[in-house]
Each structure stands twice: as structure tokens, then as C-alpha cells.
Amino acid sequence: MLALRSIQAETTLATQDKRRPRRQLQEVTIDDVAEEAGVSRMTVSRVLRGGHLVRAPLQERVFAAVKKLNYRLNVSARALAGSGPSRVALVYSNPSQAFLSELLTGALKESSKLGMQLTLTADADTHDRTAEIESLLRSGVTAFLLPSPACDAPDVLELLQEANARWVAISPANLEIHPFSVSADHFDIAGRMTTRLIELGHRHISFIAGDPASKGGTERLRGHLRAMAAAGIREAPVEQGYFTFQSGLEASERILSSFSECTAIIACNDDMAAAAISVAHRHHLNVPDDLTIVGFDDTPIASIVSPAITTARQPIAEMAQSAIRMLHAASIAGDGTDSKRTQKVLPCTLIERESSAAPRQRSLQSAPIHSAASA
């Protein structure tokens, strides 16, 4: 939807250009060149990127096929790289609509400033996902924003590498496989959040983890456990969540039914923190007098629920803006190499609101105490 008018305009201009018919530009693909040359698609991509690792006879076959088929689309895009990408696709797959909204806001603001057209596409599974990205590549998109978990999908990365496209990973699980990435410092903010609760007097703190496939979630858990250990607190019960409100309900119920000494719950995002407040009310607990509950991300729900949630503000919009600037700068500079790798980490901000306070002695109306095990 966001790039519809741009696509229509490009189609009209291509149709009007008598010297380079639109049919000719779009019919020949990298697969056609690979078939004509009798090599793999990856080999064609490597040759067009410089061919340093491809034997000379194979390079000659590829260039002969390019000439015979009049293959120009990707070669032209590469030659024009110095002017920066004109279109960029944001490939999303995140259960939090608030996260997506902020990410989109930041990407739109910066892409508009730099004269780039932004396309939004859902990261579906396997075949649908690759088909959508292939369609974007054929339409002329050469730059991609890949928030987690899209940036961790091998099939997505393989497609983009073969097409010689550029991308910036947002909060990737593995920094080493991405030439460009931007992340929030989840480890640091989780440690600071836990330390703040310890300073308030809390010692019996439970943690609701996020999706284990999320790098941000695992870093938050790691930061929390490090802060607990640094304070000499050995008991650190962890329950598994998946960033959804429902998983927060289930994890909070397990905590309050098995760990009656708990005075604070740290949830790995605001949705799960809001769910924990709901469960606390069902257990006749007042937040924060009986139970402190905190979250992460500072999404709208953190201010809407009662009491308002103490949370950590992740610079989501700023991350998207930074990613757009990386794409633009990398395109102007030329092909990215290891020497030009850019991996930026942005700080988070602790936001104290009404859901956190010093602990007080109380008696929970819950099941008997059991030994709390980490999920």
C-alpha cells in the first residue's frame, strides 16, 4: 500500500520509454542467466559482484549469457548504487503491534527525509515468505529492513545474498552474519532494571522470559541473572513467556501459585507485565504495595493500565531511523565489505511509574510454597 503510487509511476515511465521497453527489463531474470550459462544462481550473483572467487571460464560464460539475454536490471541497479536505494522494504514478523507501529514510524520518517520509498510486507512462513521477497526483488527493491526474527531466517538471507541486495538487521540473534545491524542494549537495561528493584529492597524476584528465539529476550534474561548474581541473590525463578498477553497470564499464574515469597515480577515486555497485573488482582494482591511488576519497551499499554507500568524504553523508532541511514550510506559508498561493517547498539531508558515500590511483609492467598525452578 505504502509504495503503490510509486510502483504505478515507475510502471508508467517504463512503458513510455521507447528505447528500453518495460517487457525487456522485467522478463530476463538472474535464473535465466544461470540457466543459459549452465551455472548456479549463486555463481551468477558472485560474478556480477566482482567474481573474485569464480574461475575465469565460468565468468566468461556468465558474461556471455548476460550479453546474449540483454540482462540489465540488476547490473543497472548496481551501477546506480552511488545515488542510494530508491525503494526499501520493511519485512516484519513481530507479535507486538506497538513495536511494529514505532518501527514503521521511524522508518517512514527517515526514508521520507532521504527520498526513499518504503514498502511494508509481512514475513510469512517458508514458501510464501521467499516468494514475496523474490517479487520485491523483481520489482526493483534493492534494500531491506529486517527486524528479528526475519533477519535470522536462513532462506531470507540466502535470497538477498544471491540478489546482491543490501539489508540492515534489527536486533539479530547472530551479529556476525550481518554486515549492518542496529540493536538496543537489552543486557544493560535489564541489569539496571533488576538492580533498581534490589535497591528498593526486593530479594524475591521472578522473571518472565520472552520468546527464546528472540535475541533481545535472551539478552534481557542474561542481564537480569547477572545482576541477581552480582547482588548475591541465588534464588532467581524464571518462567517462560512468548511476549504475548496470554503467555504472560499463564507464566504469572505459575509464579503466584508456586512462589509465595515473590515480591516482584520482571516481565520481558509490557504486554506480559500487564497480564501479570491482571493475575495479581485475581490473587487479591495490590500492585505495587503487595507486588511490584515491571516490563520492557514502554509501549502504549504501559501507560494505559492501572497502575501505570515501570518499564524500559527501547528506542524502536530511533533504531529504524538509524537502519535507514545505514542503508542509504552503504549504497552511496558502494558494496559493503567486512572492513565497512557497521553494528550499532543504542541505549535504553528506565522509566519509573506506579507499578514499582519497596516490598512489604504480606501473606499470599495462594498454593503452598514449592521450590521454584527455572523454565
Side-chain angles (χ1 to χ4, degrees), residues 14-22 24-25 70 72:
T15 303
Q16 292 172 347
D17 191 340
K18 302 300 183 181
R19 293 168 298 176
R20 296 189 300 165
R22 179 175 176 272
Q24 184 187 49
L25 286 176
N70 198 23
R72 300 183 182 184

Side-chain angles (χ1 to χ4, degrees), residues 52-73:
H52 303 298
L53 301 178
V54 182
R55 289 180 290 117
L58 291 183
Q59 291 189 44
E60 292 174 4
R61 281 160 53 184
V62 170
F63 286 124
V66 167
K67 182 176 181 180
K68 179 180 178 180
L69 299 176
N70 198 23
Y71 176 68
R72 300 183 182 184
L73 183 59

Side-chain angles (χ1 to χ4, degrees), residues 70-86:
N70 198 23
Y71 176 68
R72 300 183 182 184
L73 183 59
N74 284 352
V75 176
S76 296
R78 185 166 185 243
L80 292 173
S83 64
S86 60

Side-chain angles (χ1 to χ4, degrees), residues 120-162:
L120 184 66
T121 183
D123 172 23
D125 291 329
T126 56
H127 176 72
D128 289 341
R129 172 171 58 201
T130 55
E132 177 65 23
I133 290 177
E134 285 179 333
S135 176
L136 289 167
L137 289 167
R138 285 195 298 270
S139 73
V141 175
T142 58
F144 292 78
L145 289 188
L146 300 181
S148 178
C151 60
D152 300 316
D155 53 346
V156 170
L157 300 183
E158 183 179 359
L159 268 178
L160 297 183
Q161 287 171 342
E162 288 181 353

Side-chain angles (χ1 to χ4, degrees), residues 225-236:
L225 294 176
R226 175 67 66 85
M228 293 286 279
I233 303 174
R234 296 182 179 181
E235 188 177 40

